[in-house]
Amino acid sequence: MTADHILAIDLGTGGPKVAFVDLRGRVVAHEVETTSLILEPPDGVEQDPDDWWRAISTAVGRLVAAAPEEAASLIAVAVTSHWTGTVAVDHEGKAIGNSIIWMDSRGAPQIAEAVSGRINVMGYDPRRLKRWIQLTGGAPSHSGKDSLAHILWLKDQRPEVYDAAERFLEPADYLNLRLTGRAVTSHDCVVMHWLTDNRNRDDVHYDPQLLAWTGVDKAKLPPLVGSATVVGPLLASVAGEWGIAAELPVTTAMGDVHAAVVGCGAVKDYEPHLYLGTSSWLSFHLPEKRTDIRNSMAAFPAALPGKYFLANEHEAAGACLLHARDQLRLVADLGELNEVAANAPAGSNKLIYLPWLNGERTPVDDHTIRGGWTNLSLAHDRADMLRSILEGVAYNSRWLLEVVEAFTKKPLGPIVVIGGGARSDLWCQIHADVMRRPIRRVEDYHHAGARGVALVAAVALGRITAEEIDGLVAVEKEFTPDPSTAEVYDELYDAFLATYKATKDIHARLNQGR
């Protein structure tokens, strides 16, 4: 008899992964499709929601055809996606134009106006900042890349879209609308709207004062439902198109970080994981809500009921590799990048790469900083340049690790690595050497999002408990720090930090208003 399975949909920036996942978190079949970015220079980044749906439907069709027995054993559908995006939908639930996604910073001026006052500390009115932290656990980012910033930008710059919108939805919640006909969001997915009182995990609600300060119409926001609950049954029309059973329960959607912090398998408090995808982050569950506004980190409601997780983000990790391949044409594919980079020594002959191609969010909230190489000479070759990209992202990870450990007031142990970047043995080893921590790559590391959202769905259905998730995900390979690299990486890491401090004002002038 075939075991029960969950259809997990994981919409990444580059496209969706869809998978059949069993109740032990095993990915038994999967398919992938691609989607495109729509760049609106200088700071706009959008995607077409219909393209998401096309890609998901295509991938699900192949998945069902390839694994018909598992398709017949489905007990639920669950969705995760890239987070802090905005889809405006009309009264019929149709998207009004493109979605603004997490990389878009056009809302920075609108956020600055909403959070500032006559007297400001770090760009915030102290009274407003205190209220935001008390209620939400953080405050809107000056980068303009949060969901709230997108909504305020639409209100200011695209009033016809704002006025026509029935609801503003996160990408994951938009997909759930397509699946169920219900436009709702969960206590965890709504956080980056910065409009909810999260102090009681069982009673999250929109706050009238925050709504008044931002001018967002509450009627245009989706109703709130509890984390890890059932949104509704799968629409018959979707079930027929995909070739699966109608009326399957669809559980609450969640952001990619929420899914990954479960899917990495390290679900106990303070058990860290490093995600290496288009972006990157270092996260784990926490027992209570805490905030570090200076370094743009906070503990937010997690997808598992009653839990919190540490939220932070690096804007570009794998994006730096894609930039080297697609824009600079330094390699034909990422396999070649790793092969060539392996020929350079640790430290890339003191060539330093700065990975801030799209600004940065943590540990500095700086949307004008930019990247590139420093200390480049005629003696450096392609191997040095490519290895330095891998090392530059790792220096950024070490910077994040240091502020995270200051936040937790305790050293972190071995770090689980997930995401597409974990495929590279070289990059995993570089992270172990630079961060001075064992790096543990888990099974199906590139499907941690799908596994995580499926396991949360199983909790929502009462099929497993959150405690039973611990220990389900096995370690595939461990990378231990090489002490012989410590001296060169310590020197270059110090130079990496010094370069940020030396160039941030220059980049602010060059990119002012961008």
Side-chain angles (χ1 to χ4, degrees):
M1 181 179 294
T2 303
D4 292 336
H5 294 86
I6 292 166
L7 171 57
I9 299 169
D10 177 7
L11 176 64
T13 308
K17 302 183 186 76
V18 299
F20 292 145
V21 184
D22 71 17
L23 301 188
R24 301 291 295 171
R26 288 184 288 259
V27 177
V28 299
H30 63 87
E31 291 288 341
V32 179
E33 269 292 315
T34 59
T35 55
S36 301
L37 291 177
I38 301 167
L39 302 180
E40 298 287 347
D43 297 318
V45 188
E46 301 177 353
Q47 288 189 311
D48 180 357
D50 287 335
D51 193 35
W52 297 339
W53 191 256
R54 172 206 59 78
I56 291 169
S57 296
T58 299
V60 171
R62 289 203 308 268
L63 182 65
V64 170
E69 290 187 7
E70 287 77 9
S73 68
L74 292 177
I75 60 170
V77 180
V79 174
T80 180
S81 81
H82 48 79
W83 197 29
T84 71
T86 298
V87 185
V89 299
D90 63 19
H91 67 282
E92 295 181 343
K94 295 180 180 178
I96 305 172
N98 293 327
S99 168
I100 302 174
I101 70 166
W102 62 274
M103 301 171 74
D104 190 300
S105 62
R106 288 176 290 184
Q110 287 74 29
I111 285 294
E113 182 178 350
V115 303
S116 61
R118 288 187 300 172
I119 299 174
N120 296 299
V121 177
M122 297 186 297
Y124 296 93
D125 179 318
R127 296 167 302 169
R128 295 190 176 193
L129 179 60
K130 180 180 179 181
R131 180 69 173 174
W132 250 301
I133 292 174
Q134 285 177 335
L135 298 188
T136 70
S141 166
H142 290 300
S143 68
K145 296 177 180 178
D146 299 336
S147 307
L148 174 61
H150 305 328
I151 295 172
L152 295 181
W153 182 83
L154 287 171
K155 184 177 182 181
D156 187 45
Q157 298 294 314
R158 300 287 188 274
E160 70 284 0
V161 174
Y162 183 90
D163 291 342
E166 179 79 8
R167 299 281 190 228
F168 293 109
L169 300 176
E170 281 282 345
D173 293 323
Y174 167 77
L175 294 177
N176 261 9
L177 170 63
R178 295 286 300 256
L179 293 172
T180 67
R182 291 194 67 200
V184 299
T185 191
S186 65
H187 293 171
D188 53 276
C189 200
V190 75
V191 170
M192 297 297 274
H193 285 71
W194 301 113
L195 297 171
T196 52
D197 182 343
N198 306 322
R199 288 175 294 180
N200 182 346
R201 279 292 274 115
D202 298 322
D203 181 26
V204 176
H205 55 273
Y206 294 114
D207 181 72
Q209 181 66 77
L210 301 183
L211 290 165
W213 281 342
T214 58
V216 174
D217 184 354
K218 181 183 176 183
K220 293 182 179 292
L221 300 172
L224 301 170
V225 297
S227 301
T229 56
V230 174
V231 171
L234 181 67
L235 293 173
S237 57
V238 178
E241 179 185 356
W242 289 359
I244 60 178
E247 301 292 313
L248 288 172
V250 178
T251 53
T252 42
M254 65 194 67
D256 47 9
V257 191
H258 302 78
V261 78
V262 176
C264 72
V267 295
K268 292 181 179 178
D269 291 342
Y270 303 109
E271 287 187 340
H273 79 271
L274 174 69
Y275 171 76
L276 291 175
T278 304
S279 61
S280 68
W281 61 70
L282 181 64
S283 184
F284 43 82
H285 283 114
L286 287 162
E288 72 280 326
K289 189 171 70 170
R290 296 175 59 190
T291 302
D292 178 0
I293 194 69
R294 183 175 297 276
N295 292 302
S296 301
M297 294 191 301
F300 292 146
L304 292 174
K307 284 186 169 288
Y308 293 87
F309 77 97
L310 180 64
N312 53 54
E313 185 190 41
H314 280 158
E315 286 289 278
C320 299
L321 312 187
L322 298 176
H323 181 259
R325 183 193 69 185
D326 300 336
Q327 302 297 110
L328 304 183
R329 305 299 175 98
L330 291 176
V331 290
D333 57 59
L334 299 184
E336 181 189 0
L337 187 152
N338 281 279
E339 182 178 341
V340 174
N343 294 319
S348 303
N349 290 306
K350 298 195 175 180
L351 178 61
I352 299 174
Y353 179 82
L354 311 170
W356 310 306
L357 302 186
N358 193 43
E360 195 50 283
R361 295 190 70 151
T362 314
V364 290
D365 186 8
D366 186 346
H367 74 281
T368 62
I369 191 67
R370 291 295 182 267
W373 283 274
T374 190
N375 205 38
L376 179 65
S377 76
L378 293 173
H380 288 114
D381 59 17
R382 188 166 69 117
D384 294 325
M385 296 181 75
L386 294 174
R387 183 184 180 102
S388 71
I389 298 175
L390 301 176
E391 291 173 336
V393 173
Y395 298 145
N396 222 24
S397 297
R398 176 168 167 176
W399 191 11
L400 182 54
L401 174 64
E402 288 183 354
V403 298
V404 165
E405 289 187 331
F407 178 79
T408 60
K409 296 180 173 60
K410 63 174 66 179
L412 299 179
I415 299 172
V416 168
V417 64
I418 58 174
R423 179 181 293 108
S424 168
D425 282 8
L426 177 61
W427 211 6
C428 290
Q429 185 61 54
I430 286 172
H431 271 88
D433 295 342
V434 170
M435 300 177 76
R436 296 187 181 180
R437 293 290 189 282
I439 298 293
R440 294 175 174 173
R441 184 170 64 199
V442 294
E443 290 181 344
D444 290 323
Y445 51 84
H446 50 303
H447 291 304
R451 176 167 52 223
V453 74
L455 289 172
V456 174
V459 171
L461 297 177
R463 299 295 300 271
I464 62 171
T465 65
E467 291 72 25
E468 289 176 303
I469 296 172
D470 184 50
L472 289 181
V473 184
V475 174
E476 177 194 284
K477 185 173 183 178
E478 181 164 326
F479 301 83
T480 57
D482 179 354
S484 70
T485 66
E487 183 176 356
V488 66
Y489 280 142
D490 284 351
E491 177 188 9
L492 295 176
Y493 173 66
D494 289 344
F496 176 87
L497 294 183
T499 302
Y500 170 75
K501 296 173 183 177
T503 61
K504 63 179 182 178
D505 291 340
I506 297 171
H507 287 119
R509 289 194 297 272
L510 289 174
N511 300 303
Q512 187 175 13
R514 299 186 63 186

